[in-house]
Amino acid sequence: MKIQGLFKFERIVLLSFIIVLLSSCSGFEKVLKSKDYEYKYKMALEYYKKKDHYRYVTLLEQLQSVYKGTFRADTIDFYLAQGYYHQGDYLLAGHQFDMFRKNYQRSVFTEEAEFMYAYCYYMSSPRPELDQSNTLAAIEAFTEFINRYPNTSHKAEVNKIMVELRDKLVEKSYLSAMLYYKIGDYKAAIVAIRNSIRDYPESKHREELMFHLLKASYLLADNSIESKRRERFQNALDEYYSFISEYPSSKYSSEAKKMYDATMKVLQNLN
C-alpha cells in the first residue's frame, strides 16, 4: 500500500509539472500571437528581467522592425544583442553590438555596447594553438574602448583581460617557433624564434627560446654543406655568446657549453 501511495504521489507531482509547463508555454504562445505590440514589449521586458533569454529575444526580434526609428529602438536593439550574447552566439552578438555603437552614438547603452563588442571577440578567442585573429581583434577593440572611455567602470576588468590576451599571443608565438624546431626545420625555427624574442622581449619563455635559437643555429650548421659551415658555425658561436651573457647560470649552460666546444673545434679545423 505504501508503494502504491508513493507511485500515486509521484504521478500527481509529474502531472502538476506538466500542467505548469503547458500553461507556461501556452501563455508565451499567446504573447507571440498577440497583435498588441505594447503588450509584447512589456512582456519582453518582463522576460528580460527574469533572464529568460529565449523568450525575450524571440519577442524583440518581432518588435525590432515595428519600433525602428522610435525612442524604444535602442533599448530593443541593445537587449537583442545581449540576448544573443547570453545564448552563446558571440559572432552574432558582436555584430549586433557593433551595429548598435555605430547607429546609437548618444544612447545610454552606447558605452556598454562598445565594451560588449570587444568582449564578444574576447569570448571568441581560441586556445593559443589556433589562429589568433579574434585575439588581435579583441585587443584592438579594447584599446579603442579604453581610449574612448578612460574613466570607465570596466577599466580594471579590461586591463586584466588585456594581460590575458597578450599572454595568449606570447604563447602562440612560442608554440609556433618551437614547432619548427621540433620538426627539424632549423632555418625556419631560427627566423621564428628571433621574431618571437623581438616581438615579446618580456616573454616567460625568453630563456628557453634563446637556448633553442643557439641549438637550432648549431644543428643547422652541423647539417650544412661544406661551403656554408664556416658562416653558420660562426652564427652559432654568436648565439652562444648572446645566450650565456644574458643567462650565465642557466639550467641549459652545460648543454650550451658542449655546443660551444664543438663549434670552436669545427672553426679551428676550418681555418
Side-chain angles (χ1 to χ4, degrees), residues 7 10 38 43 79 104 111 114 124 133 141 159 222 233:
F7 285 160
E10 289 178 344
E38 288 294 311
M43 291 305 298
Y79 284 4
Y104 304 102
E111 180 180 338
E114 294 264 16
S124 302
S133 296
N159 289 338
D222 197 40
F233 271 112

Side-chain angles (χ1 to χ4, degrees), residues 76-92:
I76 290 173
D77 286 357
F78 181 73
Y79 284 4
L80 258 180
Q82 280 196 318
Y84 295 141
Y85 169 81
H86 287 298
Q87 289 178 337
D89 193 339
Y90 304 126
L91 181 64
L92 179 56

Side-chain angles (χ1 to χ4, degrees), residues 221 224-234 262-271:
S224 294
I225 59 176
E226 196 64 31
S227 60
K228 295 185 177 181
R229 285 172 66 80
R230 182 190 298 277
E231 178 185 358
R232 288 178 174 175
F233 271 112
Q234 185 60 56
T263 297
M264 289 301 293
K265 185 176 180 179
V266 170
L267 289 175
Q268 288 170 3
N269 290 335
L270 289 173
N271 287 334

Side-chain angles (χ1 to χ4, degrees), residues 55-271:
R55 284 190 170 92
Y56 77 73
V57 164
T58 303
L59 291 175
L60 292 178
E61 285 177 337
Q62 289 187 346
L63 295 172
Q64 192 174 32
S65 60
V66 174
Y67 286 103
K68 186 176 182 180
T70 71
F71 70 95
R72 287 178 174 168
D74 65 328
T75 300
I76 290 173
D77 286 357
F78 181 73
Y79 284 4
L80 258 180
Q82 280 196 318
Y84 295 141
Y85 169 81
H86 287 298
Q87 289 178 337
D89 193 339
Y90 304 126
L91 181 64
L92 179 56
H95 173 72
Q96 292 296 324
F97 283 122
D98 187 29
M99 294 303 296
F100 185 95
R101 70 194 188 114
K102 292 174 180 176
N103 294 334
Y104 304 102
Q105 296 183 10
R106 296 183 179 181
S107 169
V108 294
F109 301 116
T110 301
E111 180 180 338
E112 190 64 17
E114 294 264 16
F115 172 76
M116 289 303 300
Y117 166 68
Y119 201 84
C120 285
Y121 273 121
Y122 165 65
M123 292 298 291
S124 302
S125 174
R127 63 183 188 273
E129 294 86 351
L130 302 178
D131 177 73
Q132 294 301 306
S133 296
N134 282 346
T135 303
L136 291 168
I139 290 174
E140 182 179 352
F142 277 123
T143 300
E144 181 183 337
F145 173 75
I146 288 295
N147 288 338
R148 190 167 295 173
Y149 304 100
N151 299 316
T152 178
S153 60
H154 291 296
K155 190 170 185 177
E157 184 180 5
V158 170
N159 289 338
K160 183 179 178 181
I161 289 172
M162 291 287 270
V163 170
E164 180 183 338
L165 292 172
R166 290 194 180 103
D167 283 348
K168 189 175 287 188
L169 293 180
V170 170
E171 196 67 18
K172 171 65 175 180
S173 177
Y174 162 74
L175 291 173
S176 297
M178 290 304 297
L179 178 61
Y180 287 117
Y181 175 82
K182 289 175 181 177
I183 65 176
D185 189 346
Y186 302 123
K187 195 171 183 179
I190 291 169
V191 174
I193 293 173
R194 281 178 177 162
N195 288 341
S196 185
I197 294 171
R198 180 200 65 204
D199 295 340
Y200 307 104
E202 303 302 321
S203 168
K204 64 181 180 180
H205 302 294
R206 182 178 177 87
E207 179 180 350
E208 182 184 354
L209 285 170
M210 289 192 68
F211 170 72
H212 281 95
L213 177 57
L214 161 61
K215 194 168 183 179
S217 298
Y218 171 78
L219 291 172
L220 177 65
D222 197 40
N223 289 282
S224 294
I225 59 176
E226 196 64 31
S227 60
K228 295 185 177 181
R229 285 172 66 80
R230 182 190 298 277
E231 178 185 358
R232 288 178 174 175
F233 271 112
Q234 185 60 56
N235 290 338
L237 186 62
D238 293 341
E239 297 300 344
Y240 170 79
Y241 288 133
S242 296
F243 172 74
I244 211 66
S245 65
E246 189 164 341
Y247 300 102
S249 302
S250 172
K251 62 181 180 180
Y252 302 112
S253 294
S254 177
E255 189 174 353
K257 182 63 165 57
K258 290 178 182 178
M259 286 186 283
Y260 167 78
D261 291 339
T263 297
M264 289 301 293
K265 185 176 180 179
V266 170
L267 289 175
Q268 288 170 3
N269 290 335
L270 289 173
N271 287 334

